[in-house]
Amino acid sequence: MNLYAVIMAGGVGSRFWPRSKERKPKQLLRIFGENTMIQDTVGRLEGLVKNENIYVITNKIQKMRVVEQLPQIPQENIIDEPFGKNTAACIGLASILIKQRDPEAVTLILPSDHLIKDDEAFRKCLSTAADFAYKNKGLVTIGIKPTRPETGYGYIQFDEKEVSPEIYKVLTFAEKPNLSTAKRFIASGDFLWNAGIFVWRVDTILEEIKTYLPDLYEGLLEIEKAIGSEDFVKQLTYVYGQLKSISIDYGVMEKSKNVYLTKAEFYWNDVGSWEAVYEISEKDDDGNVLIGDIFSEFSYNSYVFSPKKFTAVIGAENLIVINTKDALLVCSRDKAQNVRDVVDYLKMNKRSELL
């Protein structure tokens, strides 16, 4: 069994504005510690997947920064999609490229911007999933044990009887629920959070795409014919322009009868907003997270980021303050998801210099 990894790194991270921009989005930022999020994603694969077997799918705007941040990855493995077409196209493209090298390769599909702690447990979990996927040609996803009735995550219902050591049959996928439904999921005990991490053989996922997304499959065949030729980029651009934008969850996982999961024994957080960053970060005695040159007085339970500009915060509570060289965000912590509205406003008003 040869293990490959596909890291999906094309997102713009709109909920992390103004730090996250089109050219340097969330996955390319240092949110925690010395490494960027994509560097941590690659780092935790050490000892599990060889560097030459790691592929990164990104876009033209971000590609060179990805190349700069991941010098250990062969540059030809860093692929820029001509258009963002959601995760089904991204995964399909990576699968046909890997298939050229190994038709029975097992691929780990990973988001580039999640926080994971306990790398050893993470690698053990993926190894269990990969072994099952290789031998049984199943689609394996990773389930996270819920710690609260979260309405921002998708859920996976599973049969509690093991089909193989630490492997369970998936019954249904559930989209982001309302609070009462989330509480019901938690109480039932047979729902886990959907981490968006997948493990499968390339031949298996391509067969599933053929069954459930035949138009995408036909497009992938056209792209595959051009691999290694001078017309590859031209053909990729032409085909991608015609593809429907759809996620692998909607397109395949929710329809297939061949889906399994293994339970994560590691800490996971998708770090979906500045509020999530605040919750994860170490706080001072006043419940504040202060990063940069900051004066704080009578202020509590706030996240303030201002590394290049002196910032004074007085009498503030439950705020997010992000101060960069060209923009300032002041946001109530409970409205952190609405930061994406700022990005929509800037796009509508053609303020590209702030995007």
Side-chain angles (χ1 to χ4, degrees):
M1 178 177 64
N2 288 323
L3 271 182
Y4 289 73
V6 176
I7 298 172
M8 299 180 290
V12 298
S14 58
R15 287 173 292 185
F16 281 81
W17 185 90
R19 284 197 69 194
S20 182
K21 303 287 183 67
E22 286 181 349
R23 293 186 179 278
K24 196 173 183 181
K26 170 187 166 190
Q27 61 268 21
L28 300 178
L29 297 176
R30 293 178 177 85
I31 304 288
F32 306 101
E34 295 300 313
N35 292 328
T36 65
M37 299 200 80
I38 196 170
Q39 287 172 332
D40 280 337
T41 300
V42 171
R44 69 177 65 101
L45 293 171
E46 189 173 349
L48 183 65
V49 182
K50 298 174 183 176
N51 287 335
E52 60 265 30
N53 288 357
I54 298 175
Y55 284 73
V56 181
I57 310 296
T58 183
N59 56 51
K60 292 184 185 300
I61 294 176
Q62 297 165 17
K63 180 176 180 178
M64 288 317 299
R65 287 188 183 272
V66 173
V67 169
E68 290 168 5
Q69 291 195 11
L70 302 175
Q72 71 272 45
I73 305 300
Q75 192 165 335
E76 61 269 23
N77 288 11
I78 299 174
I79 312 298
D80 53 297
E81 293 180 291
F83 314 104
K85 292 288 185 173
N86 216 316
T87 54
C90 166
I91 288 166
L93 174 60
S95 297
I96 60 171
L97 292 170
I98 293 170
K99 178 188 170 189
Q100 295 289 308
R101 293 179 56 183
D102 186 344
E104 296 184 352
V106 175
T107 54
L108 319 175
I109 310 295
L110 306 168
S112 59
D113 56 0
H114 290 183
L115 176 66
I116 289 171
K117 298 179 182 178
D118 194 343
D119 290 356
E120 186 175 341
F122 172 78
R123 289 189 286 267
K124 180 177 181 295
C125 179
L126 292 188
S127 294
T128 298
D131 186 62
F132 180 84
Y134 180 71
K135 293 175 180 175
N136 298 277
K137 296 189 176 182
L139 309 177
V140 188
T141 186
I142 309 300
I144 309 292
K145 185 177 180 180
T147 57
R148 61 188 183 278
E150 174 62 56
T151 60
Y153 296 154
Y155 287 73
I156 309 169
Q157 186 182 29
F158 67 101
D159 186 330
E160 296 183 64
K161 182 182 178 181
E162 289 182 331
V163 298
S164 184
E166 300 181 60
I167 300 289
Y168 305 84
K169 181 70 177 173
V170 168
L171 300 177
T172 57
F173 284 83
E175 295 307 310
K176 297 174 182 178
N178 59 32
L179 185 58
S180 62
T181 303
K183 288 179 178 178
R184 194 168 74 248
F185 286 169
I186 301 296
S188 73
D190 62 349
F191 279 85
L192 301 175
W193 286 339
N194 183 356
I197 299 171
F198 308 108
V199 183
W200 46 52
R201 287 168 52 143
V202 289
D203 54 357
T204 302
I205 190 59
L206 288 171
E207 193 62 33
E208 296 278 341
I209 290 173
K210 180 180 180 181
T211 300
Y212 298 108
L213 296 171
D215 290 345
L216 171 59
Y217 185 76
E218 290 300 318
L220 293 173
L221 290 182
E222 292 303 311
I223 296 170
E224 188 175 26
K225 292 175 186 175
I227 292 176
S229 75
E230 294 179 359
D231 293 331
F232 177 72
V233 174
K234 180 180 178 181
Q235 183 74 332
L236 177 65
T237 303
Y238 174 74
V239 172
Y240 250 66
Q242 301 177 73
L243 293 180
K244 181 181 178 181
S245 179
I246 189 169
S247 72
I248 200 72
D249 298 77
Y250 283 124
V252 173
M253 303 299 281
E254 293 183 11
K255 299 180 177 72
S256 176
K257 307 301 181 187
N258 189 31
V259 183
Y260 303 84
L261 69 74
T262 186
K263 299 177 184 178
E265 298 297 334
F266 51 84
Y267 174 87
W268 169 90
N269 193 304
D270 77 341
V271 199
S273 68
W274 284 119
E275 168 63 9
V277 175
Y278 169 80
E279 292 290 348
I280 297 165
S281 300
E282 187 175 342
K283 301 160 188 69
D284 65 18
D285 292 341
D286 293 322
N288 294 320
V289 180
L290 306 176
I291 301 172
D293 191 6
I294 297 162
F295 172 84
S296 173
E297 188 174 67
F298 306 119
S299 295
Y300 306 96
N301 306 320
S302 294
Y303 182 93
V304 185
F305 176 90
S306 184
K308 296 183 179 179
K309 196 182 300 179
F310 175 74
T311 299
V313 182
I314 302 172
E317 290 191 47
N318 301 309
L319 286 184
I320 303 289
V321 180
I322 310 296
N323 204 356
T324 67
K325 65 179 181 180
D326 57 2
L328 169 66
L329 169 71
V330 180
C331 173
S332 176
R333 278 180 43 210
D334 64 1
K335 294 291 187 291
Q337 294 289 343
N338 294 73
V339 172
R340 65 173 69 181
D341 297 341
V342 181
V343 175
D344 291 340
Y345 169 85
L346 293 171
K347 287 179 179 177
M348 191 182 308
N349 288 276
K350 296 181 170 54
R351 301 291 303 276
S352 58
E353 78 279 5
L354 294 174
L355 294 168

